[in-house]
Each structure stands twice: as structure tokens, then as C-alpha cells.
Amino acid sequence: ILATSPEGDQVTVAALSRRRSAMLALLVLLPRAIIAGALLIIGGNYLARTTSMEDMLLNAMALAFIMDIDELFFRVFAPHRVQNLVVHLDPIASPRFAGGCWLTSGPVVKVAVVIVLMILATMRL
């Protein structure tokens, strides 16, 4: 159930059934975690085997592009109404992650992963 703020600028998920929560976890969160883990392992090995810094930078940028391609597809193919809803949708409250965490912000995690992979790659050489 969606609820709109009195000003009309924010939309909040007021209620989510257990069945929908389970389907959300099974069909969205689990595949995203599997893809992210596979990209971490495969991309890490790919970057670790890169010999020159120019190629490493190019490969790191390619990996970042692959990680962001879903957001690009959303911006291009999703209807403006859906994009507007997503922009104004408040995060779903979770008792474990209430208040937010620096690990949940996408750019921080991406930059940290690239830095760690670059350090690991230089240690192997």
C-alpha cells in the first residue's frame, strides 16, 4: 500500500505483505546479489591479471559501466510516470537498517570495490 505525503512530493510504502516481501527478495534482491558477487569475483580476477595501469584504468571503467547499465536502461526505457514515482519513493523502512548506513550508498561501495581491486592487482604483480 502506497501513501503520499500531505505536500504530495514523497511517496511511502505504508504496508508490504509477507508474500510480496518474499517475492521481492527472491526475484529482485537475490539475483542482484548473485550478479554483484559474480562481477566482484570475475571483475576482480580480470583486473588483477591486467599488467599496465592504462589497461587497468580502462578495465575498471568498463566494469563500472557494466555495474551501471541497469540504471541506464531504466532511464531510457521506463515511462516517465514510473521514473517520477521511483524518484519520489521513500526507502522501505527496515528495522535492521533504520537510519541508513554508509554501506548502502551505491557510489561509496563502487569506489571502495574499485580501490580494493586495484590494490589487490598491484600486490599480485
Side-chain angles (χ1 to χ4, degrees), residues 1-77:
I1 299 174
L2 297 177
T4 308
S5 67
E7 297 84 24
D9 59 344
Q10 287 300 110
V11 179
T12 306
V13 177
L16 194 61
S17 69
R18 289 186 190 266
R19 184 176 185 184
R20 287 191 184 192
S21 296
M23 294 303 287
L24 180 70
L26 183 66
L27 298 175
V28 176
L29 299 177
L30 183 62
R32 286 183 66 107
I34 290 170
I35 292 170
L39 278 175
L40 178 66
I41 293 168
I42 295 168
N45 280 333
Y46 188 64
L47 286 177
R49 296 178 194 276
T50 304
T51 55
S52 71
M53 283 303 231
E54 293 85 12
D55 288 340
M56 185 181 301
L57 182 61
L58 184 63
N59 293 340
M61 293 302 294
L63 187 60
F65 175 77
I66 291 171
M67 292 175 68
D68 290 337
I69 193 75
D70 62 329
E71 295 171 17
L72 179 64
F73 278 141
F74 178 75
R75 286 186 183 175
V76 171
F77 294 116

